[in-house]
Amino acid sequence: MDESGIRKRKESQNGSTDLTEDNKEVVKAIALQKDVGLLSGICLIVGTMIGSGIFISPKSVLLYSGAVGPCLLIWTACGVLSTLGALCYAELGTMITKSGGEYPYLMEAFGSIVAYLYSWTTIMVLKPSSFAIITLSFAEYASTPFYPGCSPPLIVTKCLAAAAILVITSINCLSVKLASYVQNFFTAAKLLIILVIVVAGIVMLAQGKTENFSNSFDGTATSFGAIGLAFYNGLWAYDGWNQLNFITEELKNPFRNLPLAIVIGIPLVTVCYVLVNVAYFTVMTTTELLLSPAVAVTFGDRVLYPASWIVPLFVVFSTFGSANGSCFTAGRLVYASGREGHMVKILSYINVKRYTPAPALIFNGVLAIFYTIPADINTLINYFSFAQWFFYGLTALALIVMRFTRKDLDRPVKIPVVLAGIMVLVSCYLVLAPIIDKPELAYLYCTIFIFSGLILYYPFVYRKVNWGRKIMRPITMHLQLLMDVAPPEKTE
């Protein structure tokens, strides 16, 4: 069924199965195309990292760090840590040029089971919950102007978030280039509003608004777990530094563009974040910042009035662009996992006209809509970071392991192994610190969920039971016809 579908598609495109050499060049293989250049790669990193975090997380980072000084240091340290992680991923991504983020690296270093547990956890929880969190932030900012003096009803926020998920998923299903253009536009928009905030902050500093920076270390938090939670919330705002590794197969010249986009994009985001926080503290005390329902909007009301309306508008743009980047990369992980047999095969199929992983994108979108139902964003962020940083550390460890087990692999980018070691140690701290400081059953539930994937792994992946294939065969056939998709062809 699958191969005949591909053959018929080619016949319809060329009129015959007996193709001339010229015709063969015209027909594209049914596979993801290399449509993402350096600029789009930088915009994917910057656009996904700068979402709602810089407009919401300043409160959380300040709350757990306790004072202005440590707050700014933590924002800077988070940027340095993200850069270290991204440099590790630059080596891995140019050594193993497969899409799917951490998935192919864990597969190569530790084998099928570890890679499966990563894909199981990330596909079923981490990626769709992240998509949901970002769209909920988008919905909150987009609906607030229509409810002056009060918070928008929860049902309105959730419905708007679900609508955003549908729109973004549709864009990504239609065209890779269209999704890239959307990403580039919204990245430019968010950099514009950050520039406005930073310039306004510099003007306020020049006017002598420096009182909030005196005695800036008074009240610094000393709790082991509190510092860990401050890093969690700061790193949530930086999350997205690894996004380009999810689409390596679609990058033009990945050996050049992957490390270059990382080196340009992440330092740019770090500088933006630190300067934006400095700008916030020029007009708000720590108490005022903690009490603000939306820090960026409060800043706009105090500094940019009567043009303060541009801040919430551009925050909406920022969150929409970040959600688009999250959707774009999540679909590639689902696609890669399905291709390896760790998810149902239909999820690895490609639309034969648009060359997008439509089933994978739709699957991620449907899960994200379900995750909009519980709306406690802060709780989701904390547990999301707990599991995510476990896998970040494991991937950095994979780099160290493959230095000894896969010496034969070509490494166009090779970083000092000590950087990967630092990444492993920091990841261990971020995973263990909140658990040791304040043990909660939620962490145990998270761990149980990760390993519960083995219940499905043994019969369906390891044993490949026949009855499972019999059930999926007609479902796959009908979904192929419905979505006009086919298995990807192997390309050089």
Side-chain angles (χ1 to χ4, degrees), residues 10 24 34 48 55 66 141 211 253 277 293 323 338 367 455:
K10 287 188 173 181
K24 285 180 182 177
K34 289 187 177 292
T48 308
F55 308 109
Y141 275 96
E211 55 270 16
N253 192 4
N277 275 275
L367 286 179
I455 297 171

Side-chain angles (χ1 to χ4, degrees), residues 113 354 425:
I113 291 180
R354 304 185 183 279
L425 292 175

Side-chain angles (χ1 to χ4, degrees), residues 207 274 355:
Q207 293 175 351
V274 174
Y355 303 101

Side-chain angles (χ1 to χ4, degrees), residues 51-52 60 115 122 147 167 181 210 250 271 346 351 367 385 400 407 434 447 455 490:
S52 61
S60 302
T122 307
Y147 296 90
V167 170
Y181 293 149
T210 59
E250 294 168 83
V271 171
I346 186 66
N351 186 281
L367 286 179
S385 297
I400 299 171
K407 295 179 180 180
T447 305
I455 297 171
K490 290 183 179 180

